[in-house]
Amino acid sequence: VQLQASGGGLVQAGGSLRLSCAVSGTIFRINSMNWYRQAPGKQRELVAVIAAGGSAIAAESVKGRFTISREDAQNTMYLQMNSLKPEDTAVYYCNAVVMLRDGDTHWRNYWGQGTQVTVSS
């Protein structure tokens, strides 16, 4: 199972970016899909979560600016980031909780490689 994150880049403050995360490989079901970020010198933090049914939550720092979504037919997740601020600068990682086979007794946790988002002031 592989997660491929894309869509990062350099943008001015107030601008927008859309991150994508595609899950590939042989899987039975994806449970939650999540975005994390890690800024230089800081711990990795949770940005947003979307459950299998589509319900979503976002960190207070990004509420009203970032929107997480998923397209299950494509095993893909998105993060629409609007009104970006310099403090949003970080490497963004996608994460998925996956069941590999029908009848498996536990979920497995997979990570993407990260995509850099840089917001200039």
Side-chain angles (χ1 to χ4, degrees):
V1 177
Q2 290 188 326
L3 275 66
Q4 181 69 46
S6 61
L10 173 64
V11 65
Q12 287 188 332
S16 298
L17 284 173
R18 189 190 193 209
L19 305 184
S20 300
C21 176
V23 181
S24 62
T26 302
I27 59 176
F28 174 66
R29 184 174 295 160
I30 302 175
N31 194 354
S32 67
M33 302 181 79
N34 318 296
W35 286 101
Y36 287 78
R37 68 184 181 186
Q38 188 166 17
K42 294 188 177 181
Q43 289 189 329
R44 190 172 297 190
E45 64 174 352
L46 180 64
V47 176
V49 176
I50 186 163
S55 59
I57 58 172
E60 284 297 325
S61 59
V62 305
K63 267 184 186 177
R65 299 188 298 121
F66 291 10
T67 302
I68 188 172
S69 61
R70 60 192 284 171
E71 187 174 349
D72 289 336
Q74 302 295 326
N75 288 344
T76 301
M77 168 177 66
Y78 304 96
L79 186 68
Q80 178 66 42
M81 305 186 295
N82 299 327
S83 302
L84 281 160
K85 303 176 181 180
E87 51 264 43
D88 295 319
T89 295
V91 177
Y92 284 70
Y93 297 91
C94 58
N95 165 264
V97 179
V98 173
M99 181 174 285
L100 296 183
R101 287 172 291 277
D102 188 9
D104 272 354
T105 58
H106 59 279
W107 298 88
R108 298 171 188 265
N109 205 18
Y110 291 93
W111 290 88
Q113 84 287 2
T115 184
Q116 176 71 47
V117 172
T118 303
V119 185
S120 63
S121 57

